[in-house]
Amino acid sequence: GKGNNKFYPNDSITREEFAKILTLVFFADSEGAEISFTDVPVDAWYYKPVSIAYSTGIIKGKSETLFGTGECIIRQDAVVMACRAAEKAGLWTTVEPGDLEKFFDDEEIDKYAKQAVYTLYDKKVINGKGNGEFSPKAQMTRAEAAKIIYALLNV
């Protein structure tokens, strides 16, 4: 939650918040490694989760020097991180999207994210936003993030 026993399900979730959730769920015993993202100070609450996410291969950052701290995570990036976490934790291997029914907005999903999107779709972790759309560039809400984590834990 966000304090005072409030969850705020419709608020968006930041990149570092999502990294923390994924590392707590899948890599709670990991130590992480030194990272060189200039927007992730060593004394920040999110340094360790970002460090763990980077060292385990869940994240790569927005560039070699920037993680994207404070940015709301978009749906396709959250799905990429979640898919990598599940794969690194040994839940599955990714699938090729060729044989799956495509989302109507498939052409809006960036190439780097397609395999992750359709892997989580195939595993019934995600199902889109309705009307057959995935909305890859929309900000992920806290409720959507919770649903993904719940579904991953029940694969």
Side-chain angles (χ1 to χ4, degrees), residues 73-100:
I73 194 165
I74 59 173
R75 290 171 52 82
Q76 71 180 5
D77 288 352
V79 166
V80 168
M81 287 171 61
C83 189
R84 285 181 187 153
E87 189 171 301
K88 301 286 181 186
L91 293 183
W92 64 59
T93 56
T94 55
V95 299
E96 291 301 321
D99 296 334
L100 299 173

Side-chain angles (χ1 to χ4, degrees), residues 45-73:
W45 66 263
Y46 49 86
Y47 181 86
K48 185 174 180 180
V50 171
S51 169
I52 293 169
Y54 183 77
S55 68
T56 56
I58 297 172
I59 62 165
K60 295 182 180 178
K62 306 243 345 172
S63 72
E64 288 185 23
T65 58
L66 291 175
F67 171 66
T69 299
E71 294 180 23
C72 296
I73 194 165

Side-chain angles (χ1 to χ4, degrees), residues 2-148:
K2 286 188 153 186
N4 298 328
N5 295 321
K6 303 272 184 175
F7 180 64
Y8 298 100
N10 296 321
D11 285 4
S12 38
I13 189 165
T14 64
R15 293 173 55 80
E16 62 271 21
E17 289 170 335
F18 197 62
K20 181 175 181 177
I21 293 167
L22 288 173
T23 57
L24 283 174
V25 170
F26 293 106
F27 303 100
D29 296 333
S30 296
E31 288 300 316
E34 189 174 321
I35 53 175
S36 60
F37 295 128
T38 58
D39 59 344
V40 182
V42 176
D43 60 348
W45 66 263
Y46 49 86
Y47 181 86
K48 185 174 180 180
V50 171
S51 169
I52 293 169
Y54 183 77
S55 68
T56 56
I58 297 172
I59 62 165
K60 295 182 180 178
K62 306 243 345 172
S63 72
E64 288 185 23
T65 58
L66 291 175
F67 171 66
T69 299
E71 294 180 23
C72 296
I73 194 165
I74 59 173
R75 290 171 52 82
Q76 71 180 5
D77 288 352
V79 166
V80 168
M81 287 171 61
C83 189
R84 285 181 187 153
E87 189 171 301
K88 301 286 181 186
L91 293 183
W92 64 59
T93 56
T94 55
V95 299
E96 291 301 321
D99 296 334
L100 299 173
E101 181 181 338
K102 301 287 190 278
F103 288 108
F104 291 139
D105 56 354
D106 176 76
E107 70 284 346
E108 294 175 30
I109 303 170
D110 288 333
K111 185 178 178 180
Y112 73 87
K114 282 196 188 225
Q115 190 171 33
V117 167
Y118 287 106
T119 295
L120 266 61
Y121 180 57
D122 179 61
K123 305 293 184 186
K124 302 196 180 354
V125 172
I126 62 169
N127 57 10
K129 295 279 276 182
N131 299 326
E133 294 182 353
F134 175 64
S135 300
K137 307 292 193 293
Q139 292 178 356
M140 176 154 287
T141 67
R142 294 170 57 82
E144 290 168 335
K147 187 225 179 255
I148 286 175

